[in-house]
Amino acid sequence: MKALVIEEPGKAVIKDVPYPKPGLGEVTVKVSQVGICGTDVHIYKGEFLSPYPIIPGHEFSGIIHEVGEGVPSFQKGQRVAADPSLFCGKCEYCMTNRGNHCENWGALGNTVDGSMAEYVKVPYKNLVVLPEEMSFEEGAFIEPLACVVYAMHRLQMKVGDQVLLFGAGAMGQQLVQSFKAAGASQLVVVDISEEKLQLAKEWGATHVFTSAQLEEARTIQPRGFDIVVDATGIPNVIEEALTFIGPVGKYLQFGVTPTDAKIKMNPFDLYYKDWTLIGSMAINHTFIPAFNWLKEKRIDVSPLVSKSISLEEMPSFLEGPRDKNLLKVQVKIS
Ligand SMILES: [Zn+2]
Ligand SMILES: [Zn+2]
């Protein structure tokens, strides 16, 4: 079968590789649609803990092609999406509902071959069957939405909270919809792209500002916001964001920074203003609630797919440069 293989950092090729026959408790899925994630670019650049060679791709949907031994209740031809998480289920972290910190952590497309190929094999327990009205594009969006759902679980926001969000990319736009659904009052969004801010406004932002207008955001809440979120991963933006947290406010680091990034913050503010600082890493048993949220159309992700490319276009896409105005780009495989 045809696959995108990252043979070593900086070297991605389309090549023929063996078909992944499903083993015990596994099914092989004929891949339809795969979302491209920042992590795929990190793997390409050698900035992630992946082994090489590897087939990337962890946000995907497709059709069951072959069912292995010991798989109840799944059949060839079903339309599915899958949680890429491979938690061991046996370590201390898995046993205490912290599977995203599993001592033997793995994920499809990160530590074992993923879905940027004609076929991918998946443990059956990771699958969900897509309802007829859910497109393959939406199915490939359950995984990123599951990261947003985990962030919302971490945040525990209260109805009426005033929220400031930095970053209105594909993830930021899902956060905007989530904050609105979760009962935010004021919802202020900052980004460099006017186009993305306009979209944020359509989905419930009460005020939007370009980075150049940032000081105007301060006049809205001179004492600061109840919740401040960074969805950019840019250290300078994060330093700025911290100055907007109000008394007893919460800060969420959602954007992924370079691993060696450093920022300055004033610990007196942390003490004096009773702040809570929160991180949110990937997915932690949040794939099913994300699927349910999408199924009931509480969140609209289809306008976030800016374009679909072919598998053959992937090597040059990884190489860059990439258009900064794009939201989510997906690969259409079949
Ligand atoms: Zn991802
Ligand atoms: Zn574990």
Side-chain angles (χ1 to χ4, degrees):
M1 68 161 184
K2 197 168 58 175
L4 172 80
V5 180
I6 300 178
E7 297 195 307
E8 57 186 72
K11 190 176 174 204
V13 295
I14 302 293
K15 65 190 270 192
D16 218 47
V17 300
Y19 166 80
K21 185 111 186 112
L24 185 68
E26 291 177 332
V27 303
T28 295
V29 174
K30 184 168 166 44
V31 182
S32 297
Q33 201 79 11
V34 189
I36 306 172
C37 172
T39 309
D40 301 319
V41 179
H42 286 301
I43 294 170
Y44 173 71
K45 290 183 177 166
E47 297 166 347
F48 199 71
L49 11 97
S50 299
Y52 298 90
I54 188 162
I55 300 172
H58 57 271
E59 307 174 358
F60 65 96
S61 56
I63 296 172
I64 294 181
H65 181 73
E66 189 179 353
V67 178
E69 293 286 307
V71 175
S73 69
F74 284 100
Q75 295 125 35
K76 183 172 175 166
Q78 283 178 309
R79 299 164 75 250
V80 291
D83 182 345
S85 310
L86 303 173
F87 303 157
C88 79
K90 298 181 181 95
C91 74
E92 181 178 337
Y93 295 93
C94 283
M95 297 305 284
T96 50
N97 299 320
R98 293 175 284 176
N100 58 336
H101 296 282
C102 171
E103 286 173 24
N104 308 297
W105 186 86
L108 297 169
N110 290 291
T111 58
V112 301
D113 283 341
S115 56
M116 289 203 185
E118 289 178 272
Y119 299 93
V120 61
K121 67 174 183 180
V122 186
Y124 82 87
K125 60 182 177 53
N126 291 41
L127 293 173
V128 295
V129 176
L130 303 181
E132 214 157 286
E133 64 276 12
M134 194 183 284
S135 67
F136 286 120
E137 286 81 357
E138 291 171 296
F141 238 110
I142 302 170
E143 194 274 349
L145 184 60
C147 298
V148 171
V149 171
Y150 182 52
M152 296 304 286
H153 289 183
R154 296 278 296 150
L155 249 184
Q156 306 260 308
M157 75 170 268
K158 297 190 297 295
V159 171
D161 276 350
Q162 294 157 330
V163 182
L164 172 62
L165 168 69
F166 289 81
M171 299 311 276
Q173 300 288 350
Q174 293 171 79
L175 284 164
V176 168
Q177 296 183 56
S178 304
F179 289 134
K180 187 184 175 197
S185 51
Q186 215 163 44
L187 177 47
V188 182
V189 181
V190 181
D191 198 276
I192 48 171
S193 158
E194 303 256 12
E195 223 171 284
K196 290 179 179 174
L197 289 175
Q198 196 45 49
L199 196 53
K201 216 159 178 190
E202 284 166 30
W203 273 323
T206 54
H207 305 72
V208 295
F209 297 101
T210 62
S211 318
Q213 305 165 322
L214 191 54
E215 285 314 304
E216 282 177 56
R218 211 179 295 278
T219 63
I220 293 185
Q221 287 299 336
R223 294 196 69 198
F225 290 80
D226 300 318
I227 289 178
V228 175
V229 179
D230 171 69
T232 72
I234 302 167
N236 290 341
V237 173
I238 295 166
E239 276 187 2
E240 193 70 55
L242 292 171
T243 69
F244 283 86
I245 311 170
V248 203
K250 294 178 181 176
Y251 172 79
L252 172 72
Q253 187 57 51
F254 187 82
V256 184
T257 68
T259 49
D260 57 353
K262 297 275 186 295
I263 54 156
K264 276 202 189 101
M265 79 168 287
N266 181 344
F268 182 81
D269 285 342
L270 174 58
Y271 148 76
Y272 187 70
K273 295 184 184 170
D274 282 355
W275 284 351
T276 303
L277 305 181
I278 301 167
S280 175
M281 206 291 271
I283 300 180
N284 189 21
H285 304 291
T286 47
F287 195 83
I288 304 256
F291 170 60
N292 289 340
W293 218 2
L294 207 52
K295 201 164 59 177
E296 300 303 334
K297 304 196 185 306
R298 299 296 190 190
I299 299 279
D300 188 4
V301 294
S302 29
L304 300 181
V305 180
S306 298
K307 66 170 183 175
S308 282
I309 64 173
S310 68
L311 194 60
E312 284 74 14
E313 290 173 273
M314 265 309 284
S316 62
F317 183 89
L318 285 171
E319 215 171 287
R322 286 171 291 276
D323 179 355
K324 291 271 184 259
N325 275 318
L326 292 176
L327 292 162
K328 177 64 82 178
V329 179
Q330 292 185 340
V331 184
K332 182 164 178 49
I333 297 185
S334 66

